[in-house]
mmCIF file of all heavy atoms in Angstrom:
data_model
loop_
_atom_site.group_PDB
_atom_site.id
_atom_site.type_symbol
_atom_site.label_atom_id
_atom_site.label_comp_id
_atom_site.label_asym_id
_atom_site.label_seq_id
_atom_site.Cartn_x
_atom_site.Cartn_y
_atom_site.Cartn_z
ATOM 1 N N ARG A 747 12.940 -1.066 -12.782
ATOM 2 C CA ARG A 747 13.594 -2.264 -13.327
ATOM 3 C C ARG A 747 15.117 -2.123 -13.439
ATOM 4 O O ARG A 747 15.787 -3.040 -13.907
ATOM 5 C CB ARG A 747 12.993 -2.629 -14.678
ATOM 6 C CG ARG A 747 13.275 -1.632 -15.799
ATOM 7 C CD ARG A 747 12.553 -2.062 -17.054
ATOM 8 N NE ARG A 747 12.879 -1.259 -18.211
ATOM 9 C CZ ARG A 747 13.898 -1.512 -19.036
ATOM 10 N NH1 ARG A 747 14.692 -2.538 -18.811
ATOM 11 N NH2 ARG A 747 14.118 -0.742 -20.085
ATOM 12 N N ALA A 748 15.648 -0.956 -12.998
ATOM 13 C CA ALA A 748 17.099 -0.744 -13.139
ATOM 14 C C ALA A 748 17.868 -1.369 -11.967
ATOM 15 O O ALA A 748 17.354 -1.478 -10.859
ATOM 16 C CB ALA A 748 17.391 0.750 -13.191
ATOM 17 N N HIS A 749 19.097 -1.758 -12.255
ATOM 18 C CA HIS A 749 20.035 -2.132 -11.188
ATOM 19 C C HIS A 749 20.638 -0.807 -10.735
ATOM 20 O O HIS A 749 21.237 -0.096 -11.547
ATOM 21 C CB HIS A 749 21.147 -3.033 -11.719
ATOM 22 C CG HIS A 749 20.642 -4.287 -12.369
ATOM 23 N ND1 HIS A 749 20.390 -5.435 -11.657
ATOM 24 C CD2 HIS A 749 20.329 -4.562 -13.663
ATOM 25 C CE1 HIS A 749 19.951 -6.373 -12.487
ATOM 26 N NE2 HIS A 749 19.907 -5.870 -13.710
ATOM 27 N N LEU A 750 20.490 -0.460 -9.450
ATOM 28 C CA LEU A 750 20.902 0.871 -8.994
ATOM 29 C C LEU A 750 22.144 0.797 -8.099
ATOM 30 O O LEU A 750 22.196 -0.013 -7.168
ATOM 31 C CB LEU A 750 19.728 1.512 -8.236
ATOM 32 C CG LEU A 750 19.868 2.942 -7.767
ATOM 33 C CD1 LEU A 750 20.184 3.891 -8.924
ATOM 34 C CD2 LEU A 750 18.588 3.401 -7.064
ATOM 35 N N PHE A 751 23.128 1.637 -8.401
ATOM 36 C CA PHE A 751 24.363 1.706 -7.612
ATOM 37 C C PHE A 751 24.558 3.138 -7.121
ATOM 38 O O PHE A 751 24.196 4.095 -7.814
ATOM 39 C CB PHE A 751 25.574 1.295 -8.462
ATOM 40 C CG PHE A 751 25.588 -0.166 -8.792
ATOM 41 C CD1 PHE A 751 24.858 -0.657 -9.865
ATOM 42 C CD2 PHE A 751 26.310 -1.065 -8.013
ATOM 43 C CE1 PHE A 751 24.843 -2.012 -10.170
ATOM 44 C CE2 PHE A 751 26.307 -2.425 -8.310
ATOM 45 C CZ PHE A 751 25.575 -2.896 -9.396
ATOM 46 N N PHE A 752 25.158 3.270 -5.930
ATOM 47 C CA PHE A 752 25.338 4.581 -5.312
ATOM 48 C C PHE A 752 26.837 4.839 -5.133
ATOM 49 O O PHE A 752 27.511 4.117 -4.392
ATOM 50 C CB PHE A 752 24.666 4.603 -3.932
ATOM 51 C CG PHE A 752 23.232 4.129 -3.959
ATOM 52 C CD1 PHE A 752 22.928 2.780 -3.800
ATOM 53 C CD2 PHE A 752 22.192 5.023 -4.155
ATOM 54 C CE1 PHE A 752 21.615 2.333 -3.826
ATOM 55 C CE2 PHE A 752 20.870 4.591 -4.183
ATOM 56 C CZ PHE A 752 20.577 3.236 -4.016
ATOM 57 N N LEU A 753 27.338 5.852 -5.820
ATOM 58 C CA LEU A 753 28.765 6.172 -5.719
ATOM 59 C C LEU A 753 28.922 7.558 -5.103
ATOM 60 O O LEU A 753 28.009 8.383 -5.157
ATOM 61 C CB LEU A 753 29.425 6.104 -7.103
ATOM 62 C CG LEU A 753 29.218 4.789 -7.872
ATOM 63 C CD1 LEU A 753 29.908 4.835 -9.231
ATOM 64 C CD2 LEU A 753 29.712 3.589 -7.071
ATOM 65 N N ARG A 754 30.102 7.791 -4.538
ATOM 66 C CA ARG A 754 30.306 9.079 -3.866
ATOM 67 C C ARG A 754 31.186 9.998 -4.703
ATOM 68 O O ARG A 754 32.240 9.574 -5.199
ATOM 69 C CB ARG A 754 30.946 8.840 -2.483
ATOM 70 C CG ARG A 754 30.661 9.986 -1.554
ATOM 71 C CD ARG A 754 31.016 9.671 -0.135
ATOM 72 N NE ARG A 754 30.568 10.767 0.719
ATOM 73 C CZ ARG A 754 31.017 11.006 1.916
ATOM 74 N NH1 ARG A 754 31.940 10.223 2.437
ATOM 75 N NH2 ARG A 754 30.562 12.034 2.619
ATOM 76 N N GLY A 755 30.765 11.224 -4.876
ATOM 77 C CA GLY A 755 31.506 12.192 -5.688
ATOM 78 C C GLY A 755 32.326 13.133 -4.839
ATOM 79 O O GLY A 755 33.094 12.696 -3.981
ATOM 80 N N GLY A 756 32.150 14.401 -5.049
ATOM 81 C CA GLY A 756 32.921 15.388 -4.304
ATOM 82 C C GLY A 756 32.373 16.767 -4.543
ATOM 83 O O GLY A 756 31.295 16.931 -5.128
ATOM 84 N N MET A 757 33.114 17.750 -4.078
ATOM 85 C CA MET A 757 32.647 19.125 -4.226
ATOM 86 C C MET A 757 33.846 20.055 -4.101
ATOM 87 O O MET A 757 34.695 19.865 -3.237
ATOM 88 C CB MET A 757 31.668 19.399 -3.088
ATOM 89 C CG MET A 757 30.951 20.676 -3.222
ATOM 90 S SD MET A 757 29.545 20.477 -4.317
ATOM 91 C CE MET A 757 28.290 21.185 -3.289
ATOM 92 N N ASP A 758 33.897 21.035 -4.995
ATOM 93 C CA ASP A 758 34.927 22.069 -4.893
ATOM 94 C C ASP A 758 34.183 23.395 -4.959
ATOM 95 O O ASP A 758 33.758 23.825 -6.034
ATOM 96 C CB ASP A 758 35.931 21.912 -6.050
ATOM 97 C CG ASP A 758 37.009 22.982 -6.019
ATOM 98 O OD1 ASP A 758 36.876 23.940 -5.224
ATOM 99 O OD2 ASP A 758 37.971 22.869 -6.794
ATOM 100 N N TYR A 759 33.996 24.013 -3.791
ATOM 101 C CA TYR A 759 33.181 25.238 -3.745
ATOM 102 C C TYR A 759 33.763 26.350 -4.610
ATOM 103 O O TYR A 759 33.024 27.198 -5.096
ATOM 104 C CB TYR A 759 32.991 25.702 -2.293
ATOM 105 C CG TYR A 759 31.822 24.999 -1.640
ATOM 106 C CD1 TYR A 759 31.947 23.699 -1.165
ATOM 107 C CD2 TYR A 759 30.580 25.613 -1.555
ATOM 108 C CE1 TYR A 759 30.872 23.038 -0.603
ATOM 109 C CE2 TYR A 759 29.487 24.956 -0.984
ATOM 110 C CZ TYR A 759 29.646 23.669 -0.517
ATOM 111 O OH TYR A 759 28.569 23.010 0.020
ATOM 112 N N SER A 760 35.086 26.340 -4.821
ATOM 113 C CA SER A 760 35.679 27.429 -5.617
ATOM 114 C C SER A 760 35.274 27.321 -7.095
ATOM 115 O O SER A 760 35.387 28.279 -7.844
ATOM 116 C CB SER A 760 37.209 27.420 -5.483
ATOM 117 O OG SER A 760 37.716 26.277 -6.137
#
Side-chain angles (χ1 to χ4, degrees):
R747 68 184 186 88
H749 303 273
L750 185 57
F751 290 83
F752 309 89
L753 306 180
R754 204 168 187 200
M757 189 83 129
D758 179 350
Y759 275 79
S760 69

